[in-house]
Amino acid sequence: MPPRVNTAQRRLLKEYQQLTKDCPEGIVAGPVSEDNLFVWDCLIEGPKDTPYENGVFPARLTFPTDYPLSPPKLVFTPSILHPNIYANGEVCISILHPPGEDPLQYERPEERWSPVQNVEKILLSVMSMLSEPNVESGANIDACVLWRDNREEFERRVRADVRKSLGL
């Protein structure tokens, strides 16, 4: 096994142990199986006082073998309506973008991924993103337009996603 994989596995195991001891409210996350620390299932609770409130949204975190040098990918399964979530469920936020300069010069390097980030910070950032979409840098243009131009319809659709997330 390459040394990087061992480093990544040790780091992921340590993060998982920390999360099981002291997990932030509204988040549950861990490896899908003990045999593969590079794929995690997550449950993210919709933040209070948002249209996502009371929802419980499943997501999958997939880590690269050079983690923590490169960021993982987070995908909601199923996708939910949000300006910063692609139609396939993939989350688009700065903390999950590769380290370094942004080729589009939209994000500062310190906003992007760095090895000091961790699973807990990622999931807390996603909860924050649910509360405060960034429509200036949208992944889902239709959701951005709906959020900006017809907030009532946007919230109605999100509440439908919430009901779906609860099996209602």
Side-chain angles (χ1 to χ4, degrees):
M1 187 175 297
R4 269 195 177 155
V5 172
N6 287 332
T7 301
Q9 286 177 322
R10 279 194 302 275
R11 167 78 181 258
L12 288 167
L13 183 58
K14 184 177 177 183
E15 288 192 44
Y16 176 57
Q17 290 168 338
Q18 179 59 37
L19 275 175
T20 56
K21 284 184 207 160
D22 185 27
C23 198
E25 188 175 332
I27 294 170
V28 177
V32 172
S33 85
E34 291 179 14
D35 299 334
N36 184 0
L37 295 175
F38 292 93
V39 180
W40 291 29
D41 278 340
C42 311
L43 292 174
I44 300 171
E45 190 176 316
K48 292 188 186 326
D49 302 321
T50 73
Y52 301 94
E53 183 174 17
N54 299 319
V56 179
F57 304 101
R60 170 121 331 150
L61 257 173
T62 307
F63 297 89
T65 56
D66 68 345
Y67 180 81
L69 299 177
S70 297
K73 180 163 68 167
L74 184 109
V75 178
F76 279 98
T77 55
S79 185
I80 58 177
L81 181 68
H82 189 281
N84 306 114
I85 300 174
Y86 290 103
N88 70 355
E90 186 174 348
V91 172
C92 179
I93 56 175
S94 300
I95 193 175
L96 293 176
H97 294 161
E101 294 292 327
D102 178 4
L104 303 175
Q105 298 182 341
Y106 178 77
E107 301 164 331
R108 296 186 313 272
E110 60 270 18
E111 295 174 318
R112 296 166 70 88
W113 178 259
S114 80
V116 300
Q117 308 293 3
N118 61 30
V119 172
E120 180 178 331
K121 288 179 185 173
I122 292 166
L123 297 177
L124 290 172
S125 294
V126 170
M127 285 183 80
S128 177
M129 173 205 76
L130 291 175
S131 297
E132 300 174 29
N134 178 356
V135 293
E136 301 303 315
S137 176
N140 182 330
I141 301 306
D142 293 337
C144 288
V145 170
L146 195 58
W147 189 86
R148 187 189 66 218
D149 297 346
N150 190 347
R151 190 76 55 90
E152 190 176 305
E153 176 62 11
F154 176 85
E155 292 181 1
R156 185 194 69 72
R157 289 187 191 178
V158 168
R159 285 190 294 277
D161 282 344
V162 167
R163 286 190 298 280
K164 230 186 291 180
S165 84
L166 299 172
L168 302 174

